[in-house]
Amino acid sequence: MKTKIAITALSSISALGSTARETWKNYLNNHHFLTEKDFGTHKALVAALSGGSKTEIEAIRASDVKYKSLDNSVLYAMQTARKAVEQAGWKKGDNFGINIGSSRGATSLFEKYYQEYLTDKKSSTLASPTTTLGNISSWLAHDLQSQGPELSHSITCSTALHALVNGVAWIKSGMSNKFLVGGSEASLTPFTIAQMKALKIYAENPQDDYPCKALDLNKKRNSMALGEGAAVVCMEANPSGEALAYVEGVGYATEVLKHNISISEEAECFQKSMKMALRNTDPSLVDVVVMHAPGTIKGDSTEVKAIEKIFGEDMPALTTNKWKIGHTFGASGMLSLELAVLMMQHQAFIKVPYIEHKKMPGHIKKVLVNAVGFGGNAVSVLLSV
């Protein structure tokens, strides 16, 4: 990518907290944030928002009568978007685009309204308008009073990084100079958990020191666990202030499916997306790859094989955050990007505590971030400082 696009602000909310300071502090320890929660018919290990973060969300809900009926996926995005826009110095009424996506969308409200329908054979008035896919970006545009384009999409677990790719395309086309992009997920609901357990990929041992063994290539069983949260960044073509990082390259790819959640033995989609993101960069210059690594046996191993194919003997350091905060579906790619930016800012590598790292970076100037979702929709983003 000839023109580097600046990331001028970043905000997130997750089990790690809702500020950059709190998030980085929690990355520096070896503790995970997975706890067992009772979902009525079953229990599951999840990484939920802290009490303080939930208080912030409820304050937003109470701030406007129109927000009372919104799903948490919208409110999580609203909280992070407000902070990011303030950091970037963007004002109400500014012309900037918004592309915030979600994998599951308003699943909590959808489950609630459908249960009401099963019981009463009637649908609530607000059922449709509060569960549509475009719900998140539309409400953010309302809350921020922005004047630019607003888009939403769902591309499963690569949703947030697809939003970034889309924002890059809009900026490079000249149709917009600024874009707010990211993902939001409030998926800790009974039906969502049941769906993941039905796939036989869920972590089942709450007594384990690290129940989600993301990036452990010696694990004997799948260990994915869910988390919730949102993360967004502000991107600009010609920033007036200092940038947090630059987007040097983006890549995307899909692959032929054998079944609904399949991925090839050497993750061909990742090979293609990484190669595209690195097309103007010597792979040996990449210091770290923040992997998608969901904690499943095949998902982790195939991604490592793809990285080995691309980098050969110049393997960078590998890490992931899902052992700590779970898999946040559509928000996960942007939370991984946040980890990448924080490591570059602090020049500190965040290890996975239960694996042996074959390589440790002496400096962190370029980081590749990966995400992939059901359907083999891979995205890779190359960042630099």
Side-chain angles (χ1 to χ4, degrees):
M1 198 164 72
K2 293 181 180 180
T3 302
K4 292 193 296 185
I5 294 173
I7 294 175
T8 55
L10 189 158
S11 179
S12 73
I13 186 169
S14 71
L16 297 173
S18 60
T19 67
R21 182 190 296 271
E22 185 181 12
T23 297
W24 182 244
K25 179 182 177 181
N26 283 322
Y27 267 127
L28 292 175
N29 64 54
N30 286 333
H31 307 309
H32 68 80
F33 287 80
L34 297 171
T35 57
E36 194 171 47
K37 181 179 178 180
D38 190 344
F39 288 89
T41 58
H42 51 271
K43 295 181 180 180
L45 285 157
V46 297
L49 298 188
S50 68
S53 293
K54 289 178 180 177
T55 299
E56 292 179 39
I57 296 302
E58 290 309 311
I60 295 176
R61 191 190 305 278
S63 68
D64 191 318
V65 67
K66 295 186 293 297
Y67 296 169
K68 184 178 179 181
S69 59
L70 297 181
D71 187 75
N72 280 341
S73 58
V74 178
L75 299 178
Y76 294 175
M78 195 176 289
Q79 190 259 20
T80 57
R82 286 179 177 183
K83 290 186 176 182
V85 166
E86 182 179 3
Q87 288 173 30
W90 299 359
K91 307 298 183 183
K92 287 188 175 181
D94 278 2
N95 191 332
F96 59 87
I98 297 175
N99 189 176
I100 310 294
S102 178
S103 176
R104 315 301 297 183
T107 184
S108 181
L109 284 185
F110 196 92
E111 290 175 34
K112 170 192 170 186
Y113 287 136
Y114 188 60
Q115 186 59 51
E116 288 178 357
Y117 174 74
L118 292 177
T119 303
D120 303 330
K121 306 304 178 187
K122 294 181 180 179
S123 177
S124 170
T125 303
L126 293 176
S128 178
T130 57
T131 60
T132 56
L133 181 59
N135 207 34
I136 298 178
S137 291
S138 295
W139 277 109
L140 261 59
H142 161 82
D143 188 66
L144 301 172
Q145 296 181 31
S146 61
Q147 300 300 312
E150 57 190 71
L151 311 96
S152 289
H153 65 262
S154 177
I155 310 179
T156 60
C157 305
S158 54
T159 294
L161 292 193
H162 270 290
L164 184 145
V165 171
N166 199 28
V168 167
W170 275 78
I171 292 173
K172 286 175 63 67
S173 73
M175 295 174 66
S176 179
N177 290 322
K178 300 186 291 187
F179 240 89
L180 175 72
V181 300
S184 182
E185 210 69 62
S187 57
L188 304 187
T189 66
F191 185 48
T192 305
I193 297 292
Q195 290 175 70
M196 295 303 105
K197 290 202 169 193
L199 293 172
K200 310 299 183 185
I201 59 176
Y202 214 87
E204 297 289 351
N205 188 2
Q207 306 307 320
D208 200 315
D209 288 342
Y210 297 102
C212 175
K213 291 290 179 65
L215 201 46
D216 180 357
L217 301 183
N218 297 315
K219 58 180 173 288
K220 303 302 182 184
R221 59 168 297 149
N222 292 316
S223 63
M224 193 189 85
L226 292 190
E228 62 178 347
V232 302
V233 297
C234 293
M235 299 194 305
E236 302 182 45
N238 300 296
S240 56
E242 186 176 349
L244 300 178
Y246 291 93
V247 179
E248 279 201 7
V250 296
Y252 47 88
T254 57
E255 61 180 53
V256 177
L257 302 179
K258 293 183 179 179
H259 57 78
N260 290 357
I261 60 171
S262 69
I263 190 167
S264 57
E265 288 298 325
E266 295 180 343
E268 293 175 10
C269 57
F270 267 139
Q271 291 186 51
K272 294 175 182 177
S273 67
M274 288 188 288
K275 188 175 182 179
M276 184 185 296
L278 295 168
R279 61 186 176 275
N280 296 316
T281 302
D282 182 345
S284 66
L285 298 177
V286 176
D287 303 302
V288 180
V289 175
V290 180
M291 295 174 56
H292 181 73
T296 62
I297 294 173
K298 189 168 184 179
D300 294 3
S301 64
T302 57
E303 186 177 357
V304 169
K305 290 176 183 176
I307 293 170
E308 291 172 343
K309 284 282 187 179
I310 295 299
F311 289 93
E313 295 181 356
D314 296 316
M315 282 287 288
L318 306 180
T319 192
T320 181
N321 58 12
K322 291 185 179 66
W323 65 273
K324 183 180 277 281
I325 62 172
H327 192 349
T328 53
F329 284 155
S332 64
M334 196 58 72
L335 287 168
S336 293
L337 186 141
E338 176 186 47
L339 172 58
V341 171
L342 289 172
M343 286 192 295
M344 289 191 292
Q345 284 183 321
H346 295 276
Q347 286 299 296
F349 177 63
I350 300 302
K351 298 187 292 184
V352 178
Y354 46 81
I355 68 170
E356 179 183 352
H357 287 270
K358 296 180 180 179
K359 183 164 184 181
M360 296 287 288
H363 52 73
I364 306 176
K365 295 183 178 180
K366 293 184 187 292
V367 181
L368 188 67
V369 183
N370 282 340
V372 69
F374 290 160
N377 295 292
V379 179
S380 300
V381 176
L382 179 64
L383 302 176
S384 66
V385 288

